[in-house]
Amino acid sequence: LGQGSPGMRLATIGVRNVMRSRFRTVMTILGVAVAILAFIMLRTVLSSWTAAADFAAKDRIVTRHKVSFIMPMPYKYLGEVQQIEGVKETCLSNWFGGKDPKNPNEFFGSIAVQPEPFLAVYDEVLVKPEERESWKQNRKGALVGDMLAKKLGWKVGDRVTLQGSIYPGDWQFEISGIYTATRKSIDRTSFFFHYEYLNEWVKANRPIGADQVGWIASRVKPGIAAAELAKKIDTHFESQDIQTTSQDERSFNTSFLGMISAVLKALDIVSVVIMAIMMLILGNTIAMGVRERTNEYGVLRAIGFLPKHLALFVFGEAATIGLLGGLTGLAISYPLVEQGIGRFLEENMAGFFPYFRIDTTTALMALGLAVLLGLLAAAIPAYQA
C-alpha cells in the first residue's frame, strides 16, 4: 500500500479506480459538468437579476405616490422633502418612455432629471468633468450609459431623435456625455435628459400635467437611519391631498422583483432539481462499479480488509469523479456563461442584467456540491460493498 496514513492510502486506491472504466468515467464527468454548467447559469441569472437590490445604496431613499408608482406627485414636494431634517440632497425623476426610431426594438430607460441634483444624489455615476459641464449647459443635452452608447453606436456630440410614447412626438437631443458607474445598482443603458425640456413641452401641450414628478430620490445625512427618515417623509405628507410611500433604495428595487417572484422561485427550484439529477448520475456510475468489483471486494475482505476500508474505496472514487466533473463544469462556465451569454445579455438586455458575472460564491457552491453530492450518491453503493 506504500507510505502514508492508512486512510490516505486507501483513498488513493479509490482514486485510482476512477479510470478503470475510462469511457464510462469520462461520460459521467461530462454529465456532471453539464449539470454544473446549468446550475451556474441559473444561479448567475438569479444573482444578476437581483444585483440592483443587492448593491443598492444604503443611504438613499426613494419617494413615490402612495397609490402607484406610475402616478405623479406635485413638483413642490421636491422642495418640501429637501427641508425635512436628515435629508442631505434630493433629485427628481420622471419616466419619459422614448424609443430610437432607428432601433425600435431596443428598450432602454429614458428619464428626465435635473443634472446637478441628479449627479449629487447618484454620485456613483461617473462623467468626465467637461462632459458633465456640457450636459448642464445644454438644454437638449443627454447623458447616456456607456453600454447603451456602444450598443446604438452613439458618441459625444451626436444628435439623436427619440420618439415619445407617453409624450408623443419626435424629440431632438444631443449626446453631451457618456457615463459609467462604480456600483452595480446603476443601469448603464439609461438615457437621462433635462426635466425642464420635458416640462416646457407639457406646459404647452398638457397644462394640467405640468410641474409634476414621477419620484424623488433623497440622500440621507450621516448618522441618520434611512428607515426612520423614510417614515418621517411619509408622515410629513399624510395631511396633504397626495400621500407618499418612501423606501430605502434596496426595498424600492426589491418591490419590482416582487412582480417576478414566481419566476425567480421557479429558477431556484430548477437549480436544485438539476443537482439532484447530477447526484443520480453519479450514484448510477458508482453502483455499476461496485457491482463489477464484487469478487475483488470479496478477496479483500478475505485477506483482512475491513468493511470501512471498502467504503473508503467507493467514497474516494465518487469524490474524485465529483471533483473532476465540478472543475470541468467551472472551466466551461466561465467562457460560455460569463464571456459569451453574459456579454450578450449586458449589451442587449442591460435593463434586466446590467452585470452578468459568475459570483465567486456560486462557483464555490457548485464545486462543493459536486463533491458533496458525489459522496451522498456513493452512500448506498458503499453500504452494499
Side-chain angles (χ1 to χ4, degrees):
L1 290 177
Q3 302 298 317
S5 66
M8 289 300 296
R9 294 198 298 268
L10 292 169
T12 301
I13 294 175
V15 171
R16 290 177 178 176
N17 282 336
V18 168
M19 297 310 295
R20 290 183 61 176
S21 180
R22 296 189 178 185
F23 178 76
R24 185 171 65 209
T25 298
V26 170
M27 296 304 293
T28 302
I29 289 173
L30 290 178
V32 172
V34 171
I36 292 296
L37 172 63
F39 176 81
I40 289 176
M41 178 66 186
L42 290 176
R43 302 305 302 185
T44 303
V45 168
L46 290 171
S47 62
S48 300
W49 213 331
T50 58
D54 294 339
F55 294 94
K58 295 180 175 60
D59 61 344
R60 198 153 51 216
I61 294 173
V62 179
T63 302
R64 62 171 177 84
H65 196 292
K66 186 174 184 178
V67 176
S68 171
F69 178 77
I70 64 174
M71 298 183 70
M73 301 178 296
Y75 178 85
K76 67 177 184 178
Y77 277 25
L78 180 68
E80 293 185 36
V81 172
Q82 180 68 66
Q83 296 305 313
I84 295 176
E85 185 179 355
V87 174
K88 182 180 179 181
E89 300 278 357
T90 60
C91 74
L92 62 82
S93 296
N94 205 93
W95 185 262
F96 177 66
K99 286 190 173 183
D100 179 8
K102 296 179 180 178
N103 301 277
N105 295 323
E106 296 290 349
F107 172 82
F108 55 89
S110 49
I111 304 169
V113 299
Q114 294 173 321
E116 193 65 42
F118 170 76
L119 293 173
V121 173
Y122 292 91
D123 57 0
E124 65 267 50
V125 174
L126 298 182
V127 192
K128 294 179 180 178
E130 62 274 17
E131 294 179 4
R132 175 193 291 253
E133 191 62 30
S134 175
W135 183 40
K136 287 163 52 179
Q137 300 300 325
N138 188 348
R139 174 176 163 275
K140 293 186 177 182
L143 181 69
V144 302
D146 60 328
M147 299 186 70
L148 178 63
K150 179 181 177 180
K151 180 167 62 174
L152 299 184
W154 291 344
K155 60 183 183 298
V156 174
D158 285 354
R159 296 183 182 276
V160 299
T161 300
L162 296 188
Q163 290 180 340
S165 53
I166 302 174
Y167 308 94
D170 291 337
W171 293 71
Q172 307 297 321
F173 298 96
E174 181 179 342
I175 306 299
S176 298
I178 295 175
Y179 73 86
T180 57
T182 60
R183 188 178 291 129
K184 295 181 180 181
S185 58
I186 296 297
D187 181 2
R188 290 159 58 197
T189 63
S190 291
F191 184 103
F192 298 103
F193 66 97
H194 286 242
Y195 170 79
E196 287 71 19
Y197 182 32
L198 173 64
N199 199 42
E200 287 174 5
W201 182 93
V202 175
K203 287 180 179 179
N205 296 275
R206 299 178 185 171
I208 194 172
D211 296 327
Q212 293 184 334
V213 301
W215 66 96
I216 298 170
S218 307
R219 210 65 188 260
V220 182
K221 289 182 178 179
I224 303 296
E228 294 179 3
L229 183 56
K231 185 177 181 180
K232 185 184 295 185
I233 292 173
D234 292 337
T235 301
H236 175 81
F237 294 108
E238 274 184 352
S239 60
Q240 303 200 30
D241 293 337
I242 295 177
Q243 288 82 46
T244 63
T245 293
S246 300
Q247 301 169 291
D248 63 87
E249 189 172 83
R250 178 183 174 83
S251 300
F252 179 75
N253 292 340
T254 302
S255 66
F256 285 96
L257 296 177
M259 297 182 288
I260 55 169
S261 59
V263 176
L264 298 179
K265 185 65 176 178
L267 291 177
D268 203 5
I269 293 173
V270 170
S271 69
V272 174
V273 171
I274 287 173
M275 298 308 283
I277 293 173
M278 184 196 77
M279 185 174 69
L280 294 176
I281 293 173
L282 279 169
N284 182 62
T285 298
I286 300 303
M288 291 175 65
V290 169
R291 286 195 299 270
E292 290 173 355
R293 297 171 196 147
T294 300
N295 292 339
E296 294 179 22
Y297 293 148
V299 172
L300 291 174
R301 289 287 287 117
I303 63 177
F305 281 79
L306 299 177
K308 66 179 181 180
H309 298 148
L310 304 187
L312 277 174
F313 294 159
V314 178
F315 282 123
E317 182 177 355
T320 301
I321 294 177
L323 179 61
L324 292 175
L327 291 173
T328 303
L330 286 178
I332 297 172
S333 296
Y334 276 92
L336 183 61
V337 175
E338 187 162 304
Q339 299 302 323
I341 297 173
R343 296 294 80 74
F344 174 82
L345 292 176
E346 285 184 356
E347 293 177 5
N348 296 278
M349 298 181 64
F352 300 99
F353 301 104
Y355 290 85
F356 199 89
R357 301 284 193 280
I358 297 175
D359 190 72
T360 303
T361 303
T362 298
L364 294 175
M365 182 190 301
L367 188 59
L369 284 174
V371 177
L372 176 61
L373 293 178
L375 293 173
L376 291 176
I380 294 178
Y383 176 78
Q384 292 173 337

